[in-house]
Amino acid sequence: MSILSIKATCMRGGTSKCWVFERSELENRELPMEDILLRAFGSPDTRQLDGVGGGTSTTSKAVILNPYDGDDCDVNYLFAQVGIKEPTVDWGSNCGNCSAVVALYAIEKGWVTPVDGTTTVRVYNENTGQIIIQQIPTPDSKPVFDAEMVGSVYAGALVNIGFLDPAGKTTGKLFPTEQYLTELSTNGNTYATTLVDAGAPCVYVDAKSLGLDGKSRDEWTAVIDTRLSELDDIRRQASVLMGLSKSKELAAKAIPKLGVIGKGSNGADLRVQMLSMGERHPAMPVTGSVALTLSTQYDNSVPSNLLGKTTKTGISLDTPSGVLQTFATELDGLPVVGVARTARTICQAVINVPTSPRPTELGK
């Protein structure tokens, strides 16, 4: 069996673990980029035993970076959600948590020179055409790793992540159906939803549609687990309505994202349970929080109805990993919506990628 050696860096960004590759490591090799990633992560295999993947949607992620060619940004960033059960790589969206590693990586690799105080790194996300403004405290021109964050065991470098003018980057509109509230039905049940595109295309389902109004987090978990197939059908219907796919069957697994939201708990404005690749998400996608924050600014959306008002400021979200605070501000007259995350480098490695066919490829 021949081997392809690929340099990579393992980093934690927010509540995701990401393998970071420089684009030059993946291009012009004897295998296509998707095949390299699938073999590197050990897919398709629910355990990802023969690769570096972690067997969950939050630990099967690749970040591909190179210095930006131009003056508008500093770093070009391409995100890949690597399939676990299926030999697929989804390029259709961005991961906000993984984006938290980009500025730190650029500083550590010398692509961006840190200043004494706060270093700003402008990141271009190739998947969505989104510019992300990242700021890292760098006293004495060095990142410090003392910031703690809910959902992570160890401290990391604080990264403020702001999505610049994020509305409609994938579909062309903040509300792709031009409706703030859309009712969707499946299996005899009707769900009140808001379909919104900011950060990533998202579907937000009113918890009342599942009978979860006023219920505990444990009750949410029990009911949502019994409705995963229904909720995925709602997500696939939304994919068609948002113009992301021509049919439910052709809907991508990664987008649109779907979340169940209800009235606030634990002192937060709203409670949220996101789904990821057909399963409950253990935390909160940053891109999902951007979409949710922007949708609260519009009357009669599911989020604003649950809040009982519209708001143009950030909101607090009760997530499975703790309370997350978002912010909403402006830069040069354009809206900026985001969150604070932490990031750190875990290890640098050489991944030995087998070039021989996977069993799923034999006979093709």
Side-chain angles (χ1 to χ4, degrees), residues 4 6 21 25-27 29-41 353:
L4 193 62
I6 304 291
F21 303 86
E25 281 292 307
L26 300 178
E27 290 186 333
R29 307 302 288 256
E30 60 190 273
L31 289 174
M33 189 182 295
E34 287 195 359
D35 284 352
I36 293 174
L37 292 176
L38 288 167
R39 287 165 164 79
F41 278 75
V353 176

Side-chain angles (χ1 to χ4, degrees), residues 228-240:
L228 289 175
S229 61
E230 281 192 20
L231 290 169
D232 191 58
D233 189 70
I234 292 297
R235 189 188 68 81
R236 290 174 179 273
Q237 289 184 49
S239 176
V240 177

Side-chain angles (χ1 to χ4, degrees), residues 254-334:
I255 60 167
K257 302 178 186 296
L258 183 141
V260 178
I261 58 173
K263 292 182 179 179
S265 54
N266 295 324
D269 295 316
L270 295 171
R271 178 191 284 175
V272 59
Q273 174 62 68
M274 298 295 292
L275 303 186
S276 177
M277 307 294 281
E279 305 291 340
R280 280 182 293 105
H281 196 294
M284 180 70 194
V286 169
T287 50
S289 70
V290 171
L292 191 49
T293 300
L294 268 185
S295 62
T296 62
Q297 298 182 8
Y298 295 84
D299 192 36
N300 202 37
S301 69
V302 170
S304 64
N305 285 345
L306 288 167
L307 275 176
K309 62 179 181 180
T310 59
T311 177
K312 293 188 179 297
T313 62
I315 56 174
S316 55
L317 303 172
D318 178 22
T319 80
S321 63
V323 175
L324 173 68
Q325 178 67 49
T326 72
F327 65 81
T329 183
E330 287 190 354
L331 177 66
D332 298 329
L334 295 174

